[in-house]
Amino acid sequence: MRADRLVSLVLLLRQHGRLSATTLARELEVSTRTVLRDIEALSAAGVPVYAERGRHGGFALLPGFRTELTGLNHDEALALLVAGSRRGAQAFGLGSALASAMLKVVDALPESYRDTAAGAAERLLIDPETDLLSRRLVTEEAPDTVAAEVLRAVFAGHKLRIHYAAVNQAPKWRTVDPIGLVTVRDRGYLLATRSGEDRTYRLSRILAAEELAEPAQRPDRVDLDRAWQERSTQFRAGGDQVTVLVRMNPARREDLVGTALAVLAEETDPDGWLRLEVTFQDPRHAEWALWQLTTNAEALAPQWLRTSLRNRATAIASRYGVSS
């Protein structure tokens, strides 16, 4: 919208001083002609923007043209800036909106807080794209057009028509009643009902979406955290999932928990090792997860898993046995 763009233009000039039309066009993702028209509109509205000619010229605001958000202290500003560095908003297609919001937060800070808060935020990195082993953390994103349509339907309380590609199925259209949106480990999910039944859709698998005019059949208020917990419980209880009792080195706990669906019980043995009851998606998943832990873990039950791991270890030992 043009109003949002005009605000962003003013904020850019406030923070950077003098900027050329080309730079403004690049930052706002519009043409230089659009920037010039926006400058004229700001001037007509009484915003003190002026042009400087010459090689290093551009547009600037008269000194002192600034408003301050005086109720925001340093720690509050820092919390907002750090929150703005998280990548969860990308899952909902809100990355550009978040960047614009952070620009406004920094601009509105009192002079005494602005530099220190922004500088402190630079010292904190939240959820980098890779871990210490350079393994890339995959962030799933829905196309902007899809995310925008889903958001509109959720906020407006309208039915939503989605073209959804479920696992191992051909994509097909569904009409759902959207309840809310959840992001978990940078994956976005749409919580909805379909024909009165609870449904959960991964946003990255929605190929197209269309907000309908018909009101959604849903309660006026929702406890989204509770709804997510209930659906997580249903998910863990379905399919070919298996429960495994594992005894393991506590130093490798996160490696196991990171790949398991859920930890159902946990206790510490007298020698310091952990005893966990965990669930996996299927038998193959369980075998793979335990094999990765080598001698740092032992599957105590079920017996078929112990047998499978023993057979695999025997085959490997045979392959690398001493040759005559």
Side-chain angles (χ1 to χ4, degrees):
M1 295 178 61
R2 191 187 188 197
D4 292 334
R5 190 175 67 245
L6 292 176
V7 171
S8 295
L9 194 157
V10 171
L11 293 176
L12 286 169
L13 293 178
R14 282 177 176 175
Q15 292 190 26
H16 298 286
R18 182 174 60 250
L19 293 173
S20 68
T22 301
T23 300
L24 287 169
R26 183 175 63 252
E27 292 291 332
L28 298 172
E29 298 182 350
V30 296
S31 67
T32 54
R33 292 184 61 183
T34 298
V35 168
L36 295 177
R37 286 197 296 267
D38 287 349
I39 292 293
E40 291 179 1
L42 289 173
S43 296
V47 177
V49 58
Y50 65 96
E52 291 188 354
R53 308 284 182 181
R55 179 179 178 184
H56 300 292
F59 296 99
L61 295 168
L62 289 177
F65 182 74
R66 181 181 299 278
T67 58
E68 293 185 347
L69 189 59
T70 55
L72 200 64
N73 63 38
H74 177 272
D75 289 343
E76 292 169 340
L78 178 59
L80 284 174
L81 293 172
V82 171
S85 70
R86 297 183 63 86
R87 293 180 289 123
Q90 301 294 339
F92 296 150
L94 293 174
S96 60
L98 181 61
S100 176
M102 290 303 101
L103 186 66
K104 293 175 184 178
V105 167
V106 173
D107 179 80
L109 289 175
E111 189 72 35
S112 58
Y113 293 153
R114 191 177 307 117
D115 293 338
T116 55
E122 292 177 353
R123 306 289 178 176
L124 303 173
L125 177 61
I126 310 298
D127 289 339
E129 293 188 356
T130 59
D131 62 13
L132 284 175
L133 299 179
S134 296
R135 294 175 298 195
R136 187 174 182 82
L137 306 179
V138 179
T139 300
E140 297 184 350
E141 297 181 21
D144 289 345
T145 54
V146 169
E149 200 73 7
V150 172
L151 280 171
R152 279 195 293 267
V154 169
F155 295 151
H158 290 166
K159 286 185 178 292
L160 180 68
R161 189 165 176 259
I162 59 175
H163 194 214
Y164 191 73
V167 178
N168 299 323
Q169 296 182 26
K172 60 182 180 181
W173 287 95
R174 300 167 167 85
T175 298
V176 303
D177 296 294
I179 301 298
L181 293 165
V182 176
T183 177
V184 180
R185 296 180 181 176
D186 294 329
R187 288 182 177 177
Y189 297 89
L190 167 67
L191 272 58
T193 60
R194 182 165 171 248
S195 300
E197 299 292 330
D198 289 345
R199 294 288 186 269
T200 303
Y201 301 99
R202 189 177 295 185
L203 288 184
S204 61
R205 292 178 180 160
I206 300 178
L207 307 180
E210 176 187 0
E211 178 193 3
L212 304 179
E214 183 180 353
Q217 300 298 313
R218 67 181 191 180
D220 293 333
R221 301 184 65 85
V222 61
D223 185 341
L224 208 56
D225 184 63
R226 179 178 178 180
W228 178 256
Q229 292 297 331
E230 291 175 349
R231 297 190 186 201
S232 297
T233 300
Q234 294 172 2
F235 175 78
R236 291 195 299 267
D240 298 324
Q241 295 168 10
V242 297
T243 300
V244 176
L245 181 61
V246 181
R247 187 173 182 275
M248 65 176 304
N249 185 335
R252 299 297 301 274
R253 180 187 183 280
E254 293 307 313
D255 294 330
L256 179 67
V257 172
T259 189
L261 291 179
V263 177
L264 305 180
E266 180 175 350
E267 61 182 31
T268 303
D269 284 345
D271 62 357
W273 273 43
L274 301 178
R275 191 175 294 251
L276 295 91
E277 186 177 0
V278 295
T279 58
F280 294 97
Q281 186 68 49
D282 51 39
R284 184 178 179 182
H285 180 200
E287 182 179 344
W288 174 86
L290 270 296
W291 182 258
Q292 308 306 309
L293 298 175
T294 63
T295 58
N296 288 291
E298 178 187 1
L300 302 178
Q303 183 58 46
W304 64 260
L305 180 57
R306 290 178 58 86
T307 301
S308 181
L309 290 169
R310 182 181 66 244
N311 292 343
R312 178 183 282 204
T314 300
I316 291 293
S318 176
R319 175 65 59 87
Y320 291 101
V322 178
S323 57
S324 56

